[in-house]
Amino acid sequence: MAAEFDLFVIGAGSGGVRAARVAASHGARVAIAEESRFGGTCVIRGCVPKKLFVLASRFADAFERAPGYGWTIDHPSFDWPRLREAKDQEISRLEGIYRRNLESSGVKTLASRAVIEDAHAVRLLADDSLISARHILIATGGRAARTAIPGAELALISDDLFELSKLPQTLLIEGGGFIAVEFACLLARLGVGVTLVYRGERILRGFDDDCRAHLQAAMQDHGIRIITGCTLQSIKAQGAGREVRLSDGRVLEADAVLMATGRVPNTQGLGLERVGVSTDARGAVKVDADSRSSQASIWAVGDVTDRLALTPVAIREGHAFADTVFGSKPWRVDHRDVPVAVFATPELASVGLTETQAREQVGDIKIFRTSFRPMSSVLSTRLERTLMKLVVDARSDRVLGVHVCGEDAAEIVQMAAIAVKMGATKAQFDATVALHPSAAEELVTLRTPVA
Ligand code: FAD
């Protein structure tokens, strides 16, 4: 019997939506099931609402700097419910666009949880119907994982922060990854007293060490309390608040606790064992370079594969899959030199190798580094500095990494990423005329290596 669809996509997030639309544009009959809201993590409870909150929080810095630039700002005040409502409206608008774009591409949208029944069939739990498809794409993303400690259920996860009716006065965050750090910075600017507890010695493992140290110090200067080398042992309700015991024996109190200790792939209960789809120890679907799983008709893209958990990567993986399988245009995603940002304040962004990675992988390298006060602060009392760093292969002169911690870091690094991806040399950076006065010009005027 012929299959009803050429492609059945499970999960309408970044990767699934792109794959569905591109496959449909190649003439495939496509259906997509979503158990929550169309748009997925990025649009509903990730990148987009998070960035709106970050932007809201940075008005606090602008108000602080403004008097130095001649402004008088009397008693600025902040209204959380108003921000949340405005965010909700924008997210609903985007969700509608995602859904309409799918439907106008000819993709059948189904509001239901879907599980895999066999290599060519999916069951919709909303009405218990069975749908057949030649190919199945798992694009179910990931979810926040709570650490297994007594009282873990009393902690919030990042999803909850987007829905809070009221901001806590004090918040204890466990974690040192980008989500923990971003929420720490933004909530501190919205008036929350933030304590960050992290098991490592320095936040943001995997990023360049100089940038990590720079950001950690800037956060502390802003009044965020950072406790490193510690984990949470237990959480107890204490009136309306929480009492937290740390691994070093300390007991802390806060109105609320946020666990931002990591995310796990969404594969539980999907029926993967039934159809012979292999997963790794974290539950991620194992795929080859074309995103094909161990079962020939089943594919997976995005966070559920635990490669690089970023929206643009999920989108590319979905696009490459659809072009390869339905468009006779095979191509593969290159996961090297992907630019990444932490929307902390100050912002941190990177592309390519860190100094530590370059020393391990290349050996003979040169480091160019500068630190300066951005012009947006020089007329104010703020002492913050921007850090920029280039990692260069000493033999080939190729720029292996660009790291920025400061205002507009993400915007700067997105552009620098083009040069890094093209294999630009330090000499070519030097041959580029500076755009003055800008912060980014520092990247083309660094002349003396510091190491
Ligand atoms: P998702 O977008 O998670 O989509 C998966 C979808 O599948 C979900 O809608 C889910 O409801 C649905 N689903 C799951 N199981 C089923 C099922 N059985 N049946 C039907 N539907 C199902 N990335 C960036 O690049 N930049 C950022 O600034 C950034 N900020 C982030 C901030 C936060 C707080 C978080 C949590 C993430 C952030 N990310 C960011 C990561 C980014 O959101 C993800 O990498 C991206 O959304 C992954 O896309 P995906 O398609 O793999 O999965």
Side-chain angles (χ1 to χ4, degrees):
M1 205 175 74
E4 290 161 76
F5 291 97
D6 297 310
L7 173 64
F8 194 100
V9 181
I10 307 179
S14 309
V17 167
R18 175 60 65 94
R21 291 185 60 195
V22 174
S25 77
H26 291 311
R29 297 163 304 153
V30 184
I32 189 166
E34 171 53 55
E35 68 175 347
S36 173
R37 295 177 68 182
F38 283 73
T41 305
C42 176
V43 176
I44 310 296
R45 57 193 88 85
C47 336
V48 176
K50 180 266 311 270
K51 185 82 187 270
L52 292 172
F53 285 179
V54 168
L55 293 172
S57 75
R58 288 183 182 161
F59 281 92
D61 302 80
F63 293 140
E64 197 188 321
R65 285 194 296 247
Y69 292 78
W71 289 90
T72 302
I73 304 210
D74 290 328
H75 315 301
S77 67
F78 170 69
D79 184 346
W80 167 255
R82 219 161 73 207
L83 171 64
R84 222 203 60 192
E85 206 173 288
K87 178 273 291 180
D88 286 344
Q89 273 180 21
E90 174 59 7
I91 299 314
S92 296
R93 187 184 74 82
L94 292 175
E95 184 186 5
I97 291 175
Y98 267 74
R99 210 180 175 131
R100 281 195 299 280
N101 282 347
L102 280 165
E103 284 160 1
S104 63
S105 308
V107 175
K108 184 165 180 57
T109 56
L110 301 157
S112 172
R113 177 167 172 80
V115 295
I116 300 176
E117 197 72 16
D118 67 42
H120 295 285
V122 166
R123 185 173 295 282
L124 293 182
L125 299 195
D127 59 3
D128 205 32
S129 58
L130 205 59
I131 297 182
S132 60
R134 282 201 305 130
H135 298 273
I136 296 168
L137 178 69
I138 305 168
T140 50
R143 67 195 143 78
R146 286 188 171 84
T147 40
I149 56 165
E153 70 286 353
L154 296 171
L156 305 169
I157 54 169
S158 63
D159 297 359
D160 302 321
L161 288 180
F162 296 111
E163 308 305 332
L164 289 179
S165 53
K166 178 167 163 260
L167 281 182
Q169 281 185 358
T170 54
L171 177 71
L172 187 144
I173 301 178
E174 186 182 26
F178 82 94
I179 293 176
V181 168
E182 289 176 341
F183 276 114
C185 291
L186 83 87
L187 290 170
R189 282 168 172 76
L190 298 182
V192 178
V194 176
T195 300
L196 188 96
V197 177
Y198 178 49
R199 68 184 164 165
E201 282 313 312
R202 198 169 276 165
I203 58 167
L204 294 172
R205 190 162 59 90
F207 283 86
D208 188 82
D209 288 338
D210 285 334
C211 288
R212 295 166 72 194
H214 187 88
L215 178 54
Q216 188 160 319
M219 288 169 70
Q220 284 165 324
D221 283 349
H222 194 80
I224 297 170
R225 182 179 178 199
I226 301 182
I227 300 174
T228 55
C230 248
T231 54
L232 266 57
Q233 295 294 286
S234 64
I235 307 172
K236 273 202 313 207
Q238 173 83 289
R242 304 286 179 252
E243 184 190 275
V244 174
R245 184 171 293 276
L246 303 186
S247 50
D248 65 2
R250 262 185 282 186
V251 175
L252 303 179
E253 284 179 13
D255 289 344
V257 175
L258 167 68
M259 266 195 194
T261 41
R263 293 178 64 79
V264 290
N266 258 335
T267 47
Q268 239 178 356
L270 255 190
L272 301 186
E273 324 72 40
R274 215 171 19 236
V275 288
V277 169
S278 306
T279 52
D280 69 12
R282 280 173 39 79
V285 178
K286 285 191 194 169
V287 287
D288 66 14
D290 291 317
S291 296
R292 190 193 284 255
S293 78
S294 50
Q295 166 61 253
S297 60
I298 302 182
W299 311 70
V301 296
D303 286 9
V304 75
T305 63
D306 211 12
R307 286 177 277 188
L308 254 183
L310 292 170
T311 287
V313 176
I315 290 174
R316 256 173 197 252
E317 289 169 357
H319 202 134
F321 153 77
D323 276 350
T324 303
V325 177
F326 299 102
S328 312
K329 282 194 286 186
W331 62 280
R332 287 176 173 172
V333 178
D334 179 359
H335 292 91
R336 288 168 306 172
D337 294 332
V338 172
V340 288
V342 181
F343 291 97
T345 306
E347 217 160 84
L348 192 165
S350 275
V351 61
L353 300 184
T354 63
E355 178 175 348
T356 307
Q357 289 167 336
R359 286 201 193 287
E360 280 164 15
Q361 294 172 29
V362 180
D364 196 4
I365 58 167
K366 285 188 199 156
I367 300 297
F368 296 82
R369 190 172 49 218
T370 179
S371 150
F372 56 92
R373 275 185 86 196
M375 277 180 92
S376 57
S377 287
V378 284
L379 298 187
S380 77
T381 51
R382 288 169 67 106
L383 297 174
E384 71 184 37
R385 301 184 76 77
T386 290
L387 176 79
M388 291 191 177
K389 184 166 167 182
L390 294 181
V391 180
V392 177
D393 184 334
R395 265 170 297 178
S396 67
D397 196 41
R398 193 172 156 180
V399 177
L400 303 172
V402 179
H403 308 277
V404 178
C405 186
E407 224 169 62
D408 298 326
E411 308 294 339
I412 293 167
V413 166
Q414 173 69 89
M415 291 296 104
I418 301 172
V420 171
K421 192 81 190 157
M422 290 173 75
T425 60
K426 177 68 169 64
Q428 287 166 325
F429 270 60
D430 295 347
T432 305
V433 176
L435 192 160
H436 185 73
S438 68
E441 68 178 310
E442 296 288 329
L443 288 179
V444 297
T445 54
L446 285 165
R447 292 292 180 266
T448 316
V450 293

